[in-house]
């Protein structure tokens, strides 16, 4: 099976039973839920797609084992911190994951921060879903951890993601500071 065939298969099978899910937030058009065991196909459909990883120096995930590891981390973050990355579906079709978005608590240069994350299927691009999901996730997480700053780590050439971060109120470090993977550090002001 080619990479494209694997991605197409994963996209077709990324429909999950959303009835037993923990809802994190509901926005005008979206439902954000906690990731769970059955989301491996959705993780692979999105993170295994070369198009969604155009700016990722590690490239697309090559197999479901990598997706399983990522999903395990998403689930563990929620257990440990009570916040994390969410699966995102539309309210019209809550059984199909169209993306992942949310906030992850970690330490950057000795400071406890929220990392803002959003990654969506190409079919969901240009519809404002990433901004809507990010706002909903921030509205839920920030009151639970007051004073924790929000950052986003974005490669300089990823202009669409940088524009979205700016629309959400994050600005690139004025000194051009980057993290260990050479991503620009954007911070909410």
């Amino acid at each position: 099976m080619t990479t494209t065939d694997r991605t197409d298969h994963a996209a077709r099978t990324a429909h999950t039973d959303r009835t037993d899910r923990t809802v994190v937030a509901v926005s005008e058009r979206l439902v954000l839920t906690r990731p769970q065991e059955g989301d491996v196909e959705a993780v692979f459909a999105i993170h295994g797609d070369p198009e969604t990883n155009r700016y990722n120096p590690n490239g697309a995930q090559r197999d479901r084992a990598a997706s399983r590891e990522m999903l395990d981390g998403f689930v563990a973050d929620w257990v440990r911190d009570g916040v994390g990355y969410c699966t995102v579906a539309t309210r019209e079709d809550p059984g199909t994951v169209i993306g992942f978005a949310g906030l992850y608590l970690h330490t950057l240069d000795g400071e406890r921060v929220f990392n803002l994350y959003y990654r969506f299927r190409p079919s969901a691009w240009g519809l404002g879903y990433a901004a809507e999901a990010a706002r909903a996730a921030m509205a839920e997480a920030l009151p639970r951890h007051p004073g924790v700053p929000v950052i986003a780590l974005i490669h300089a050439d990823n202009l669409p993601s940088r524009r979205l971060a700016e629309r959400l109120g994050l600005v690139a470090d004025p000194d051009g500071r980057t993290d260990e993977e050479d991503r620009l550090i954007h911070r909410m002001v």
Side-chain angles (χ1 to χ4, degrees):
M1 192 181 281
T2 68
T3 301
T4 302
D5 291 338
R6 284 193 322 252
T7 302
D8 290 343
H9 170 73
R12 286 192 306 274
T13 59
H15 185 88
T16 60
D17 178 13
R18 312 236 353 135
T19 57
D20 295 336
R21 302 186 70 89
T22 301
V23 175
V24 174
V26 178
S27 65
E28 181 180 338
R29 301 177 296 162
L30 304 173
V31 178
L32 282 69
T33 60
R34 285 187 182 196
Q36 61 186 29
E37 288 299 311
D39 292 331
V40 172
E41 289 301 326
V43 172
F44 185 68
I46 294 165
H47 296 88
D49 182 343
E51 188 63 17
T52 67
N53 286 278
R54 182 185 319 164
Y55 300 103
N56 182 349
N58 301 317
Q61 292 178 350
R62 296 178 188 209
D63 55 42
R64 283 166 185 76
S67 296
R68 162 62 55 205
E69 185 176 330
M70 176 178 265
L71 177 60
D72 289 347
F74 289 175
V75 170
D77 295 339
W78 277 98
V79 170
R80 183 185 60 247
D81 301 320
V83 296
Y85 299 155
C86 301
T87 61
V88 180
T90 64
R91 290 176 72 173
E92 290 178 352
D93 185 7
T96 301
V97 176
I98 62 167
F100 292 86
L103 298 163
Y104 160 67
L105 275 170
H106 72 109
T107 302
L108 178 69
D109 295 335
E111 178 185 25
R112 191 80 165 150
V113 297
F114 273 123
N115 183 69
L116 177 63
Y117 180 81
Y118 37 83
R119 185 163 298 180
F120 285 76
R121 299 172 182 274
S123 62
W125 293 354
L127 301 172
Y129 289 151
E132 187 173 333
R135 285 186 185 105
M138 286 190 290
E140 288 298 317
L142 295 180
R144 295 175 190 196
H145 297 273
V148 175
V150 176
I151 58 117
L153 304 170
I154 307 169
H155 283 279
D157 60 344
N158 188 347
L159 297 180
S161 190
R162 292 185 65 197
R163 283 192 294 268
L164 174 55
E166 289 171 8
R167 283 196 310 274
L168 294 169
L170 286 83
V171 296
D173 185 275
D175 297 325
R177 197 167 60 108
T178 61
D179 74 345
E180 67 279 351
E181 293 183 30
D182 203 32
R183 297 173 295 187
L184 289 171
I185 299 170
H186 294 70
R187 183 179 287 268
M188 185 167 280
V189 292

